[in-house]
Amino acid sequence: MNGYYRPAPQFSDLTITPKQEHVQSSTPLGSSQKADAVKIPPPPTTFDRSQYVKHTEIDRRFRGTKPFGQGSTSKSRKRKRSHSNAEDGETLGPGVDQRAKAESLFKGLQGFLSSIFEAEDNLSPDTSDRTSDKNAKIWMTSSLEQQSPCLATAVLLKLENSIHKVISTGLFQQVPVDDLTRIQKICESSLKQAETVDVKMGSDDSESAIEEWLTRVSLVDNGLKTAKTVLRIMVGGREDKQLYPEDLLASVLSVAKNLIEGTINPMIEMRSTGESQAAFKIASAHKKVLGGLLHEVTSLFSLISKLLALEEVTEGTITTLEFIAVAVIFIENASTEKDSVFGVQKVERFRVAAMDILAKIFARYPDQRTFIFDEILTSLEKLSVNRQSARQFKLVEGGKNIQLVSALIMRLVQTSGTYQERKKKRGLVTGEDGEFSMEKEEGDEPDRGEIDVIGAVNKLYTMSNPLLESAQKNAQYVVNFLVQRAMRSTKTGDQPYRVLMDIFAEDFIAVLGSPEWPGAELLLRSILGSMCTIVDGDKQPAPAKSMALDLLGLMGSAICDVVVHLRESHKNRESDSSADDRIYTLTDKVLESTVAGSNGGIGMEEDLIEWEGPFRYALEHLIENSAHDPSLQSACGYYLTIWSARICAFSDKAEGQDDEETEEVMGELARIASNLRRIILDKSWIDDDFDVAKISSPQIRQAYILTVLQMPFCTSFEHILNRLLRSVDDNQATTRSKGLKAILQLLQKDPAILKRPQVVPFILKRLRDPSPLVRDSAVDLIGKCILFRTDLEDQVYKSIIERSADAGVGVRKRSMKILKDIYLRSKKEAVKVAIAEALVQRIKDSDPSVSELARKTFEEIWITPFYTYIGAEDTENQQNQTTDISPQLKLVVNERVAVIIKVVQKEVMQAVLHDVIKSILHADTKNCSVNFKVCKTMVGSMCDDLLDRQGDSDKAERQSTLQALTVFAKANPKLFKPEQLIMLQPYIENLTDQDDLHVFRSVIIIFRCALPVLSSLHSGFLSAVQQSLLKNLSRLPPLELREVVACLWTISGILKNTDRLVRVTISCLTNILKSKGKTVETDVEANRLVRTLHILGLFGKHCQFEDKIGMFQTAFPKWKPGTVSGLITDTIIPFCDSAAHPLVRKAALESLCHVCQTHASQFLRAEILKSFDQVFEVGKKELVNLVLLGIRRFLQSEENRSEGFAGEEKDEKKNGEPQVERLSRAANANQNDGVSTSLAQKYLKNIIQVATSTQDIYALTATEVIGSILRQGLVHPKECVPALVALETSTNVAIQAISNREHRMLHSKHETIVERGYMDGVRACYIYQRNVIGNESGATANPFTSKMHPLYEIVKSSRKVRKKLLGNMTMSVDFESPKLDVDSSKPNHLGYSKFVIENLAFFEYGTFDELYQVVTTMERVVSGTGMTVAHSIETDIFLLKLDSGDTTERIIKPDTLKVLATSAAILYMLWECRYFLRKSYSINDNKSRDYKSNKLSAKDVNKAPSRAATWSNGAATLWKKFEEIMTDLKSDEGMMKQCKEFVDLLTVDNEFKLAAEGEDPEDLDGERALTPIHDLHEEGGIGGELGTPGKNKKRKFTSGSPEKGLMRPKKKVKAKPRKSAGKDE
């Protein structure tokens, strides 16, 4: 009897004031009057419960109970709650002024109603003589002629406002019911009139049409205000049934429905562009009028919501409202004001009002909940997938908006978990004894002091558990619908569910930390469960797993975001209140548990659910705000249910323990449970000293986040992380890549995840993934990890260095960028050296973009950092300026130089670094001048370093430094100063050991490159250097000798005196001529002669002695004057004979090539060509390599000369050099072109043979020669194509890179010529793989990659060439069985066919057009040749007789068996490949048939295919099947097996029949037609008895087309299961 009667023995009698009198005592209740008891008389027989007021506040004030804890000393509630509707305002209190105001409002309404009734009475015929002025004000003028006139709009507005105010005073109950029913009756005419008015705007914008439209609008506006008046009466709280007529409410809804569906909704969808542009323009001109209509309808919706909350309505009304609300909710609002007739925010308020109606129906009528959910979910496809236009529902706390539908779904789910008050009958309830008694409200319990522990928790469980289960069930229902639709659609598909899934998840995440939306956690929990199920499923398709991983990453990052937000707010806390201390302590525990990956245990759970803990903070906030925002009532109710469920769950855990502490805890739980149950029943019940005013908004949010983090969604973070980590081990590449990207989402939110020991190893493992997509994602993720935790660099940089040489271009580029960042951050020299070495190797990358990136990277890590010290200004003569080296600059320079010195210790790095530095210093390079200054500073630093390293212990460091200086000297000699060169002279004086020799060589290279910058002013130094070099000439090895001779010629040119070199050359000639014709008997003689030949050859190469011919003629009087080079070659040629000593012959050939390189005409001398021919004929590798090296160096010099001349010509034209001089130089430069062409054409076949016979250094040299020949255009391009195609499949990376680069260049320039040689290239590739590589497979496994993919990648640029190549390759498998060569000792058609088929199987096709072409060509080959082979097998192997009378025994010939088995194997492999391709790319019979008949659209044909998720499994199966086939051919039993399988394939294989006969599978009805072969099986099957002769008609076999070879049968049998490589896919 709470609120109506309550015993209070300490007070005197209290009287209950009847409401009908509505006179409240001037002495307030609860005054200071002393009372001893309360006498409650029995109710009179005329007792009407509706006549009494429930004084809740007064009742609470006198109860004085303490809901929780014995220490509460509060005497009263420290704040008041207001549960009245915000729109209605506060009910007027009992004050004198307010009572007077209420009476005034009440009398005003009575008077106004009287005036309306009087006006109505004046309309009757017997009162027509009365004045009509008042009537004109009360009624619409246009309706006075009607039988039932309509109230004027102003009158309706005043009437509705007066009723509203009287309701707020609480006096509305005193308005006579007859007056209210009469006013409702008067309103009917307005509603009926508005029902039939159409205010749809037409295309006529004339003045008369607009005026007529405005008239109709005024009628509808009047109808809407009438409807509001009617509804205002209905929501006044009156219990008179006659005030709720169904027909009147139906009229109200009809007016709203017609207006919304006919006008408002279409106008909301109008846009300023498109088909509705004209109508939009007209409507926009009357935006104010239309906006008024929308406002009235929105207000009408608000009143309907109140009515639904207060009164029962009919099912028809509910259904109508549901359809209206759903239509409004799912209408698409404009994203900008200029595209909206009404205004974006006005429309959104309208949609929110519709949402409120739907939510009220959902809450009050549980039987409608499933229908409402279904309507919402089936309407989702109407939603916009544009995030900006979709999200226009403003959140309470601001920030980004969410979808209105997202808010609706959360609100409905929360409502499902909210306790709804039991519908009570009005008035009294008759008891069993026939007496009237007050209805006892559920939950009213007398105070008993002690609380039943188990009973209190059980009662709470009984109340809360069904609510929680209902909410969970509805949330799961919504999520299942979304997930099922999303799994069947894509982000780019026609259905929006895939994108909507993301949008909904993002919306729920956006409000995860908001107390106003506790249902978001439950929905996210349901989504999480569904996604985990998908990820864990082995048979889930790749798109579904990708979606699941995307969402897991999104949700995981959301949890991280919540944790990070909590961590930041925890650091920045400002309050020092005790309440904040409690939250602060609990936050510490929660954050510790999140780092440890635990849930904190029982202790933290106890802190979480305590009465004045975080749940209480958030609940107080919700209760306080729900008084002003009724939409928060569902949030408040559901949050109470969550808290209750946690209490019950914790009670179950603690119940089993038996100790004093547990008993105390259980007592506290019982009190909390009892309190929560009371709050659920009555949210105004709380009455203790908890002061909500002291809680700040940040504290409330932090408290709520603490509760959310301990809910199942957030505590599942470990499961999310573990599944993401496991997903990177999935067998699908897309899944692994998605998993890595999802992990990145988590790390971006919370880098602390990297501290978990299992994370980094999982990521590093994926760096070696077979898929380039996964490797790229892994590299990207590692790069981000390093940004989050720089201490990971040492752990991961080696792995990234490995990926810098990855097969994928994107992976290499990404790795290089990460390595650059590590280099610039790292302080460790070893790390920098390793990175620099890795980047150096990318300078010569086969991909130009990678090579260019590597070059830029070196500039950024070695040059750009110096700009801040040196300055980037670009002025003339800057290269000659001296840079002042500051201590800081010197420190940075020394650090860079130390790395360079370490890198150049490997000879392979020196040439590449030379190219890098040369390109950096090139005149066309940006900042070339400042780059020059930087390099010059580096050279100076290294020279200074040499001065500091003079001890014996510093030999290794000196040698490395000098090697680095050689790189700079080759790149630009001007980097050296004369004094620096002079400083190096001591290093060439004494050669005592091998270390001195290395230093000597480096110094000589520097001198050779840098001495030309000196002038004759340094003649003394130059002469000293020359003297030192000549002194050591005879003791130098060949490698150093080359540099010394070149240096000597440079010095002689500067000194302008070559006599000393001429004398050395004459001496060499003299010594060699002495040995001419003599047999070299000892090794000493041979070594002496070899050394002399080397010196002579190098002098002949580097020195130009033609102007000193007189000195040679004097030395050799018998020599007929010619050229000095001719004299030298004449001297050397005799020692090139095959009879010469091997060492001598080798030295002679090398020297001969040296001379010819700079005297090209000597190459064409008959004696020299004869020597070369002998070398190629014998084929001794060392000698062949010498000749090839000679030719290569000559061709390279020609290339360099040509490129240099082109550059110089460009500069000279710029500088205005006379044209005559340029032409003269061009003529001189081109005099050697004939020699190049002759050599290339003469020895091309020999060079190709060397290149394609091995993979060693000799093959590499030959490949380089081929590349040089092609670059210069010395032979027809087609001649080298087969060799290039074969060589680009080499396992030697250098050979592969050169051949692929040259092939690409050739194809781009001469596509139509080159493509003619591709089939020869395919055959050459097979032979190369078989003979040289030793593996005739067409692909490599793990991962499965076509060996000829370089060729295919090149031809991808041309559709015509690509299709021709694929067609020719497929057709090249075809054969004539009788002519088939089966000799396995040499390349045969079986091996070639397998090679081609495997390539076709594993090509990465660019379009479906290529796939269809390959598949249909395979079908044509098998159905054509296959029939002939099958017929031969039947007759020659299985000995089936076409003539049943033939009983002669026949013997199977071994050769015939081998030929037919091989034929069957080839065709079977081709068919298996065809089946594999169809399964891998989802090609069905319908698509193949449409392709053959040219019915596929260009879009479908040119679309890029994607491999199925089972591709890798199918590939492994196919690979294994081919191996089995090849094994079977090694034995007679295996060959018989192969023949039988092939015949079975043609006999019963469904797909073969479709391909061969062109039948529609639907026509077969599960049965297959018999082929002629099957007819033979019926007559006498394989291994069975012969059938009855003549039972089946004999048929003839004809080879050729499928139509002729396969005839329509008379008999059908059911198809047998096929045996296929892809069977298990």
Side-chain angles (χ1 to χ4, degrees), residues 440-586:
K440 182 179 179 181
E441 295 188 10
E442 184 180 4
D444 288 345
E445 298 176 356
D447 295 330
R448 300 174 184 174
E450 293 295 330
I451 299 176
D452 180 8
V453 174
I454 304 299
V457 175
N458 286 342
K459 288 180 180 179
L460 182 64
Y461 177 83
T462 303
M463 179 179 288
S464 64
N465 189 60
L467 299 176
L468 189 63
E469 289 181 351
S470 176
Q472 291 172 345
K473 180 181 176 181
N474 287 334
Q476 194 61 52
Y477 183 74
V478 172
V479 170
N480 286 343
F481 181 92
L482 288 171
V483 171
Q484 292 300 324
R485 299 298 189 283
M487 287 176 65
R488 295 198 293 266
S489 62
T490 62
K491 287 191 175 183
T492 57
D494 297 331
Q495 292 183 318
Y497 291 105
R498 176 64 188 89
V499 179
L500 286 177
M501 188 76 229
D502 288 346
I503 294 177
F504 276 115
E506 291 166 4
D507 287 349
F508 300 150
I509 287 169
V511 297
L512 179 60
S514 300
E516 293 78 12
W517 301 101
E521 187 274 340
L522 178 56
L523 286 160
L524 287 171
R525 190 197 317 169
S526 300
I527 295 174
L528 175 59
S530 298
M531 297 306 105
C532 288
T533 302
I534 293 173
V535 170
D536 294 342
D538 295 333
K539 297 183 179 180
Q540 292 290 354
K545 284 196 173 184
S546 296
M547 175 190 72
L549 291 172
D550 279 341
L551 288 171
L552 284 179
L554 185 65
M555 291 186 286
S557 62
I559 297 173
C560 293
D561 208 15
V562 173
V563 173
V564 171
H565 175 82
L566 180 64
R567 190 180 295 138
E568 293 300 321
S569 61
H570 188 49
K571 290 179 182 177
N572 302 328
R573 84 180 179 115
E574 298 175 357
S575 175
D576 291 324
S577 67
S578 58
D580 188 57
D581 287 338
R582 183 182 296 110
I583 295 298
Y584 184 86
T585 304
L586 184 57

Side-chain angles (χ1 to χ4, degrees), residues 69-324:
Q70 300 302 317
S72 178
T73 59
S74 176
K75 296 181 180 179
S76 65
R77 184 66 164 155
K78 295 190 178 182
R79 68 191 188 284
K80 296 181 179 180
R81 305 185 190 278
S82 174
H83 296 282
S84 62
N85 192 303
E87 186 179 349
D88 290 339
E90 298 288 339
T91 302
L92 294 176
V96 177
D97 293 340
Q98 292 175 334
R99 286 202 308 275
K101 183 178 180 182
E103 292 291 344
S104 174
L105 291 173
F106 177 75
K107 291 178 180 179
L109 175 61
Q110 289 283 50
F112 192 46
L113 290 174
S114 298
S115 65
I116 294 175
F117 298 152
E118 182 182 351
E120 183 185 28
D121 294 339
N122 290 338
L123 293 176
S124 59
D126 57 345
T127 58
S128 57
D129 56 339
R130 299 181 184 179
T131 59
S132 59
D133 294 341
K134 293 183 178 180
N135 293 345
K137 295 180 181 179
I138 297 295
W139 310 106
M140 288 183 66
T141 307
S142 60
S143 67
L144 288 174
E145 302 299 327
Q146 299 176 6
Q147 184 177 359
S148 299
C150 304
L151 289 173
T153 301
V155 172
L156 287 169
L157 192 61
K158 180 179 179 181
L159 177 61
E160 193 260 338
N161 190 41
S162 298
I163 294 173
H164 184 192
K165 290 180 178 179
V166 171
I167 291 173
S168 67
T169 65
L171 301 179
F172 190 62
Q173 301 290 339
Q174 299 182 21
V175 179
V177 67
D178 292 338
D179 291 353
L180 296 177
T181 53
R182 183 176 180 182
I183 201 68
Q184 286 182 332
K185 187 70 176 176
I186 294 173
C187 289
E188 285 182 3
S189 58
S190 296
L191 294 175
K192 295 295 182 183
Q193 178 178 260
E195 281 185 71
T196 59
V197 177
D198 181 13
V199 292
K200 187 180 295 182
M201 180 169 284
S203 58
D204 187 1
D205 59 348
S206 62
E207 185 175 347
S208 59
I210 295 298
E211 185 176 350
E212 189 270 337
W213 175 77
L214 290 174
T215 302
R216 286 185 279 125
V217 170
S218 65
L219 293 176
V220 172
D221 182 57
N222 181 271
L224 290 174
K225 287 181 169 58
T226 303
K228 286 174 60 180
T229 303
V230 170
L231 289 176
R232 184 65 70 184
I233 294 173
M234 292 182 178
V235 300
R238 296 287 294 261
E239 298 185 0
D240 309 280
K241 292 184 178 180
Q242 58 266 45
L243 295 180
Y244 306 96
E246 294 181 10
D247 56 343
L248 190 61
L249 183 59
S251 296
V252 171
L253 297 183
S254 178
V255 172
K257 183 173 181 291
N258 293 340
L259 179 62
I260 291 170
E261 294 179 354
T263 304
I264 292 180
N265 284 358
M267 285 189 173
I268 291 175
E269 293 178 327
M270 285 183 184
R271 298 293 179 264
S272 59
T273 57
E275 298 179 356
S276 60
Q277 183 176 1
F280 180 88
K281 186 176 181 180
I282 298 173
S284 297
H286 303 279
K287 193 169 186 175
K288 186 175 181 180
V289 175
L290 293 173
L293 282 181
L294 186 64
H295 174 74
E296 292 297 328
V297 177
T298 304
S299 301
L300 189 68
F301 274 10
S302 299
L303 289 170
I304 292 173
S305 295
K306 292 180 183 179
L307 178 64
L308 291 171
L310 295 173
E311 304 294 338
E312 295 280 348
V313 295
T314 63
E315 186 174 352
T317 301
I318 293 172
T319 304
T320 303
L321 286 172
E322 286 172 343
F323 283 116
I324 292 174

Side-chain angles (χ1 to χ4, degrees), residues 1433-1445:
I1433 292 173
E1434 293 280 4
T1435 56
D1436 297 340
I1437 304 301
F1438 298 131
L1439 309 181
L1440 299 178
K1441 296 93 177 174
L1442 291 178
D1443 186 358
S1444 59

Side-chain angles (χ1 to χ4, degrees), residues 71 87 146 189 233 324 338 354 369 439 494 741 806 815 890 941 970 1110 1189 1218 1313 1326 1439 1565:
E87 186 179 349
Q146 299 176 6
S189 58
I233 294 173
I324 292 174
K338 68 176 183 179
R369 291 181 178 182
E439 181 185 4
D494 297 331
K741 291 178 180 177
D806 193 273
S815 300
K890 184 173 180 61
S941 176
K970 291 177 182 178
L1189 284 172
I1313 297 175
Y1326 163 66
L1439 309 181
D1565 297 327

Side-chain angles (χ1 to χ4, degrees), residues 855 874 879 917-932 971-972 974 1207 1210-1211 1214:
R855 192 199 66 77
D874 190 7
Q879 293 183 357
I917 297 173
K918 188 174 182 180
S919 65
I920 290 173
L921 298 175
H922 195 274
D924 294 336
T925 305
K926 183 182 179 181
N927 299 326
C928 63
S929 297
V930 70
N931 290 349
F932 179 87
N972 193 329
K974 295 181 180 179
K1210 180 180 178 181
D1211 294 338
K1214 187 188 298 185

